[in-house]
């Protein structure tokens, strides 16, 4: 009875979400993995827990495959979190061997460069502790440092 309105509403919500992503302030540094993961897992949960009045054999097989995919995705995600050793990074950064960085600042030190603030980024507590000792330290945007270049990456 409510199939068509429900489908229209779901398509409208999906279209609005995708539209605001393209029109909004999203840029290339934004990761969409949480949205993709949520969509996939929402589909899996819907197939597993959705009400089905007439269960057929192929639907049971689909539910079994969705359960397997769900367990696999959760297991791989948890394993991926524990593999992070140099700060947060996505799957593509890990495959490329790029270090993860969770802290970036700009500092000024006359013994290094008396005219410019320099950018530093860290992916470990030791690195953060070391660079936090700088007397003239300030928060800076990632874009500004990408444009300027990094003095230290650790």
């Amino acid at each position: 009875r409510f199939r068509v309105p429900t489908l229209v509403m779901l398509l409208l919500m999906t279209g609005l979400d995708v539209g605001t992503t393209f029109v909004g302030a999203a840029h290339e540094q934004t990761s969409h993995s949480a949205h993709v993961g949520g969509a996939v897992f929402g589909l899996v949960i819907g197939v597993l827990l959705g009400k089905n009045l007439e269960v057929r054999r192929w639907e049971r097989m689909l539910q079994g495959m969705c359960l397997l995919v769900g367990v696999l995705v959760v297991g791989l995600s948890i394993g991926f979190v524990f593999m992070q050793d140099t700060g947060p990074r996505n799957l593509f950064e890990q495959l490329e061997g790029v270090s993860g960085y969770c802290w970036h600042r700009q500092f000024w030190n006359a013994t290094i460069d008396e005219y410019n603030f320099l950018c530093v980024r860290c992916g470990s507590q030791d690195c953060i502790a070391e660079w936090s000792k700088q007397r003239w330290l300030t928060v800076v945007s990632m874009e500004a440092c990408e444009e300027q270049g990094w003095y230290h990456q650790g």
Side-chain angles (χ1 to χ4, degrees):
R1 175 170 130 187
F2 295 107
R3 289 180 186 164
V4 173
T6 302
L7 179 62
V8 168
M9 196 63 173
L10 285 172
L11 290 174
L12 180 68
M13 289 171 53
T14 303
L16 283 172
D17 188 39
V18 170
T20 55
T21 299
F22 288 113
V23 173
H27 53 79
E28 60 194 49
Q29 295 290 337
T30 303
S31 174
H32 301 289
S33 57
H35 296 276
V36 172
V40 168
F41 216 69
L43 180 66
V44 167
I45 293 295
V47 169
L48 292 175
L49 301 180
K51 187 175 183 179
N52 190 350
L53 300 177
E54 220 178 286
V55 180
R56 296 191 175 103
R57 185 171 183 256
W58 70 268
E59 293 171 331
R60 280 284 177 219
M61 292 174 61
L62 180 64
Q63 285 179 323
M65 288 183 353
C66 282
L67 180 63
L68 179 67
V69 166
V71 169
L72 243 161
V73 166
V74 168
L76 289 173
S77 298
I78 291 171
F80 184 73
V81 167
F82 286 108
M83 288 175 21
Q84 302 297 320
D85 55 349
T86 62
R89 55 190 169 166
N90 63 37
L91 181 62
F92 302 111
E93 291 170 336
Q94 179 146 351
L95 292 173
E96 292 170 2
V98 175
S99 293
Y101 302 103
C102 56
W103 186 88
H104 62 277
R105 299 289 187 271
Q106 219 174 25
F107 74 96
W108 179 78
N109 187 328
T111 59
I112 297 172
D113 185 337
E114 65 180 295
Y115 301 108
N116 298 305
F117 273 79
L118 302 172
C119 291
V120 60
R121 65 180 173 181
C122 295
S124 69
Q125 277 304 126
D126 293 338
C127 178
I128 294 169
E130 183 64 34
W131 286 100
S132 293
K133 295 175 187 174
Q134 293 293 323
R135 182 171 183 196
W136 305 103
L137 191 67
T138 185
V139 176
V140 65
S141 72
M142 181 71 87
E143 290 80 18
C145 283
E146 290 288 342
E147 186 178 311
Q148 176 186 345
W150 297 97
Y151 173 74
H152 176 79
Q153 301 182 63

